[in-house]
Amino acid sequence: MATVRVPAPRSTAADLSVWPASTTEPAHGGLAVGGVPLTEIADRFGTPVYVLDEAEVRERCGAYRDAFPDAEILFAAKAFLCRAMAHWIDQEGLGLDVCSAGELELAVATGFPAERIVLHGNAKSPRDLEAALRLGVGRVVIDSPSEIARLAAAVGPNGHQKVMVRVVPGISAGGHEKIRTGTDDQKFGLPIADGYAQHAIARILDQPQLELTGLHCHLGSQITAVKPYLVAVRRMVGLMMRLHDQHGVVLPELDLGGGHGIAYRPGEPALDLTTLARRVRAELADACATAGLPVPRLIIEPGRAIAGPAGVALYRVLAVKHAGDQVFVAVDGGMSDNPRPALYGVRYAPRLVGRRSTASPARVTVVGRHCEAGDVLASDVDLPRDVHPGDLLAVPVAGAYHLSMASGYNLVGRPPLTAVRDGRARLLIRRESLEDIRNRDVGL
Ligand SMILES: Cc1ncc(COP(=O)(O)O)c(C=O)c1O
């Protein structure tokens, strides 16, 4: 069994277990990631600012390759995508899962091979499908019955496109109700239970220009247990067996999606990659043997587990306010650069960086600057009692579903993203300026 190179958890006095492996604590309350002091990044690029540790991204890709040597690993671009990220993912030998013409065009324009890209989407626009066919994506994952005829027509009678079908295996898993996608009562995929998946597959098999290469399912996100994936393997292989019996087809691929859970705060559980790989492989081999089918090539689509722990968000404290029993520490970013707490109630473990405080800890709520009471970044966290405006706060595990979900709320402008590596920081995405915002506003 290959060793998985996920950075070992560190448990020092100041718990850095959820920080990038490169994180060090130089003297005087400092914290450095990728060899670059976070204070230096804040001074140079301003705040709020996002920091992405290139080595951590690459290490995590390597950990997946080691754990799943025979599988095709697609990085889920929705977690975070920019040109450099596409480049790193390509160099690390992973493919990409995209869900819009925008993600697809950016990746291909960066030189990412289109045949290693899979297009998802529960409602693909004509532009999405046109870009997919023009650029030659590897597979299109069909998510609704109407897409079959649309795609077949767009491909044309003499064309050819590989497709998969997203099926709903009827499994409830995931860290929050809003990120569970394996059950029949949500918008993604075609349920097995009521026969919609089987019906759609029969129609696809009738389209000579569409080549069905396999089945896909994505159970949800922030899944920390292996069991739901094993149940999914059984149900997917069961469907593959019925398809073989009814249509005589043997599907060569099985895509189990992503959703691998990570710890956002020290002590939280994370999905164990080595165990996942070992048990999924064994379950698949066993299920296929029982079904009398050859073992399909496994595809997985991790997003969060690759990008999330590689990112750090830096904020400057703008105000500290006492209200009743509560202490609110307000920072210069919030739900416009990280909507996750407001969407799913996620909580983080921010740290004071840049100065060493001898003050005793106080229980505080770290809030954003936006005009929503739900704009809370971290509740019930301990920060030094003397935290004050001008202090710098660093939030770990900020690399996935932050900037990719950032909005224009309150017209504050989206923060920049810097990459750190070997003691150097470089700007990958610049700050959205007021001029950028004004330039889009073309009417009166
Ligand atoms: C189809 C599909 N694959 C993969 C992912 C990635 O999930 P995660 O970032 O939790 O690994 C998602 C997330 O929404 C998804 O919808």
Side-chain angles (χ1 to χ4, degrees), residues 13-102:
D15 193 332
L16 295 178
S17 59
V18 298
W19 288 76
S22 69
T23 307
T24 54
E25 278 185 288
H28 308 303
L31 212 56
V33 176
V36 187
L38 295 179
T39 46
E40 189 183 306
I41 293 176
D43 290 345
R44 188 168 150 207
F45 300 102
T47 55
V49 58
Y50 277 80
V51 184
L52 199 58
D53 184 337
E54 180 180 339
E56 182 80 20
V57 171
R58 290 183 185 274
E59 277 282 306
R60 286 178 176 274
C61 293
Y64 270 99
R65 278 198 323 266
D66 291 348
F68 292 91
D70 314 321
E72 186 171 345
I73 302 154
L74 308 175
F75 170 64
K78 68 209 78 179
F80 175 70
L81 189 66
C82 66
R83 291 188 305 147
M85 188 74 177
H87 194 54
W88 304 339
I89 296 294
D90 181 20
Q91 286 182 333
E92 292 301 321
L94 274 59
L96 266 190
D97 138 14
V98 301
C99 61
S100 71

Side-chain angles (χ1 to χ4, degrees), residues 129-290:
L129 290 181
E130 181 279 319
L133 299 181
R134 172 170 43 84
L135 298 172
V137 289
R139 279 81 111 214
V140 174
V141 181
I142 291 177
D143 199 299
S144 64
S146 60
E147 210 183 314
I148 302 167
R150 280 174 64 209
L151 184 60
V155 170
N158 302 319
H160 174 255
Q161 177 63 51
K162 288 185 178 173
V163 298
M164 290 191 280
V165 179
R166 178 162 178 169
V167 307
V168 184
I171 297 167
S172 178
H176 187 279
E177 174 207 334
K178 291 186 187 155
I179 50 175
R180 290 186 194 134
T181 54
T183 52
D184 297 350
D185 55 358
Q186 48 74 52
K187 70 173 185 170
F188 294 101
L190 295 151
I192 300 178
D194 54 15
Y196 279 111
Q198 295 85 320
H199 192 68
I201 289 165
R203 283 181 56 199
I204 293 168
L205 293 173
D206 273 348
Q207 305 287 338
Q209 62 273 59
L210 302 184
E211 178 189 344
L212 183 66
T213 64
L215 303 181
H216 170 280
C217 70
H218 172 73
L219 303 180
S221 251
Q222 257 315 75
I223 300 169
T224 52
V226 169
K227 181 89 185 292
Y229 290 100
L230 305 182
V231 179
V233 165
R234 287 277 162 194
R235 294 203 184 158
M236 299 298 273
V237 173
L239 178 56
M240 288 167 77
M241 187 180 74
R242 293 195 293 282
L243 294 174
H244 178 247
D245 293 347
Q246 281 164 17
H247 305 284
V249 288
V250 175
L251 298 178
E253 296 178 334
L254 175 61
D255 188 333
L256 290 181
H260 311 157
I262 56 175
Y264 281 88
R265 295 185 291 188
E268 284 180 356
L271 187 62
D272 186 286
L273 214 50
T274 315
T275 313
L276 177 75
R278 179 173 45 79
R279 298 201 51 202
V280 160
R281 254 201 250 113
E283 195 78 9
L284 186 57
D286 193 56
C288 288
T290 310

